[in-house]
Each structure stands twice: as structure tokens, then as C-alpha cells.
Amino acid sequence: MARALDGTIAVRSRKLLGLVTVAHLDHLGVTRQHRRTLVASGALVPVHRGVYRHAAHPESPRQLVLAAVLAAGESSAASHATAAGVWRFEYADLDGTIDLSLIPPAHRHAPRGVTVHRPAALDRADLAVAGPIPVTSPARTLCDIA
């Protein structure tokens, strides 16, 4: 049973670059105790509060960006230099601080090591998704880094 569940988690996490959240695990019926067991065994690796990487998936810069967005909640998106890296703008990369914009009226805090931007105005046209990563649109990203 435990191996089957670990396999299910591995399969589900592929859609999110190898990541799962506590909400995903709850949906799969993983108890808090079983989650602790999976972490202790090394099957799940904590990335941020409430976000885990399945050990079968190697760590990557894009995965770290998505982990920060997942930890910050639904009202967040990669932005500024991080969004430029996600969009693969020339001279942009994903090595360094992760920039997130928290979309009003977001009240959550971003995880440690993340630079938070709280734009006064950010509407849905300014947002996009690059693969599984919520990110500011290319046009908004250019404005943010200008």
C-alpha cells in the first residue's frame, strides 16, 4: 500500500515539475503521519512550508520557482527577473533570488528567500502560465524589469 501511494504521488507530481503540496497529499488521502514517514524515508523532500519535492524528480531552477509560487498561494505569480528567466528572455536566467508578485488582495506571505512585489495594479491580462508556472505576461515582465 505504501509503495503504491508513493508511486501515485510520483505520477501526480510530474505535472508540477516533481512537486506536491499538502493539499494534493490530502486529496490523495495521505495522513499527516504518513507524510512524516515519507519525509523521514526520503521519498518526499520539503522545499517550502506545505510544498514537497518527490525524490524521483531532480531539483531544477524552474521547479524552485514553481515551489515558491505554490508556497505563496493562488494569488501569486513569478515576476520581474524571475519571470524574464521563465520566459527565457535574452541575458535572463533563473539563478538567484526568486521574485514573486502577490496579486491584490493577497494576504499570504511568500516563503523565505523570495523577494515579494505587491503591485498596486495587476490585472488578469498581466498574468499567464508558462508550463505549470503562474507568471506575469511577457509584456508585464518587460515593464517590471525596465
Side-chain angles (χ1 to χ4, degrees):
M1 172 75 172
R3 277 205 171 123
L5 184 56
D6 183 41
T8 301
I9 294 168
V11 169
R12 291 276 176 99
S13 68
R14 283 186 200 144
K15 294 177 182 176
L16 294 174
L17 306 177
L19 300 171
V20 292
T21 65
V22 170
H24 297 131
L25 295 171
D26 288 346
H27 181 74
L28 292 172
V30 177
T31 64
R32 183 178 292 171
Q33 182 56 45
H34 194 183
R35 193 168 59 232
R36 286 185 191 129
T37 301
L38 290 167
V39 169
S41 72
L44 289 180
V45 179
V47 181
H48 290 296
R49 184 178 183 174
V51 180
Y52 300 89
R53 176 178 58 83
H54 192 276
H57 300 274
E59 190 176 275
S60 72
R62 290 175 73 80
Q63 182 190 74
L64 293 174
V65 171
L66 179 57
V69 172
L70 291 171
E74 288 181 16
S75 296
S76 66
S79 65
H80 295 75
T82 301
V86 169
W87 291 119
R88 299 174 193 217
F89 287 1
E90 192 171 359
Y91 303 112
D93 60 42
L94 293 174
D95 299 331
T97 301
I98 295 173
D99 291 295
L100 294 183
S101 285
L102 297 183
I103 302 154
H107 298 293
R108 292 191 65 170
H109 299 285
R112 216 176 295 155
V114 171
T115 300
V116 173
H117 304 274
R118 295 181 188 272
L122 189 67
D123 88 24
R124 294 292 169 194
D126 294 326
L127 301 174
V129 179
I133 304 172
V135 62
T136 52
S137 68
R140 176 62 191 228
T141 299
L142 284 172
C143 291
D144 288 342
I145 62 175

